[in-house]
Amino acid sequence: CRADLLPAAYVEALSALQDRVPPIDSGVIVAHLEAELGAPLAERFARFDLEPIAAASLAQVHAAELLDGTPVVVKVQVPGIASLVESDLAAARVVAMFAGDLIPGTDVPAVVREIGQAVTRELDYLAEADNARAFAAMFADDPRVIVPRVVPALSTSTVLTMERVAG
């Protein structure tokens, strides 16, 4: 998030946490989606690929097709990740109080607060949808910029459905 604030060895070690994340069990993802969207997947999508396109620590993305045949991607927050993130941030805040001497010249508690705010924003998919719409509006007259359309009826605070754009 802020690699410039940490020594290179820390950045390298922490970056390993961001890739090669195994996908969440498809049954857990389906149950979460059906609860969030209020219906079985078959009533919301013509097709939903259980194998994710990508998986990360906070979410995974699945290819799907709307009932009208429109290709979409569905970003699904890892169930329970918000409470895990909050407990990790609480622990980081405690450590930060005692870690000031490890990185001279850096306000470690302020860095932890900033990271916490950034991660918390990452967990709000309705805000992400609003940002995508605002970005699309800003560049509506520029044919070089394509912003995937958000599907509001299939988006919640932990599920974000957007048209699939190749490129």
Side-chain angles (χ1 to χ4, degrees):
C1 196
R2 289 295 311 266
D4 58 311
L5 297 177
L6 297 173
Y10 288 102
V11 172
E12 185 176 331
L14 290 170
S15 68
L17 300 174
Q18 296 180 21
D19 57 8
R20 293 182 293 280
V21 175
I24 301 299
D25 178 79
S26 61
V28 172
I29 292 298
V30 168
H32 179 72
L33 281 166
E34 291 180 345
E36 284 291 302
L37 301 178
L41 287 186
E43 291 180 18
R44 300 291 189 234
F45 299 97
R47 181 184 54 79
F48 185 89
D49 293 351
L50 294 177
E51 185 71 27
I53 297 169
S57 56
L58 301 178
Q60 59 191 45
V61 178
H62 294 262
E65 192 174 282
L66 298 180
L67 297 174
D68 68 3
T70 303
V72 294
V73 293
V74 183
K75 180 178 178 181
V76 183
Q77 193 171 104
V78 172
I81 197 69
S83 60
L84 179 60
V85 165
E86 185 48 46
S87 66
D88 286 351
L89 288 172
R93 286 189 288 272
V94 170
V95 171
M97 291 188 298
F98 303 103
D101 295 336
L102 294 177
I103 308 171
T106 301
D107 183 350
V108 177
V111 171
V112 169
R113 269 193 312 279
E114 185 69 29
I115 290 170
Q117 290 170 352
V119 172
T120 300
R121 284 190 302 269
E122 289 278 325
L123 295 174
D124 184 355
Y125 293 178
L126 293 176
E128 185 174 341
D130 288 342
N131 290 336
R133 286 188 285 270
F135 191 82
M138 284 189 289
F139 290 95
D141 296 330
D142 189 338
R144 299 169 299 164
V145 178
I146 298 170
V147 180
R149 180 182 58 82
V150 173
V151 181
L154 298 175
S155 297
T156 71
S157 61
T158 64
V159 175
L160 180 61
T161 303
M162 302 176 84
E163 76 176 312
R164 186 167 187 175
V165 177

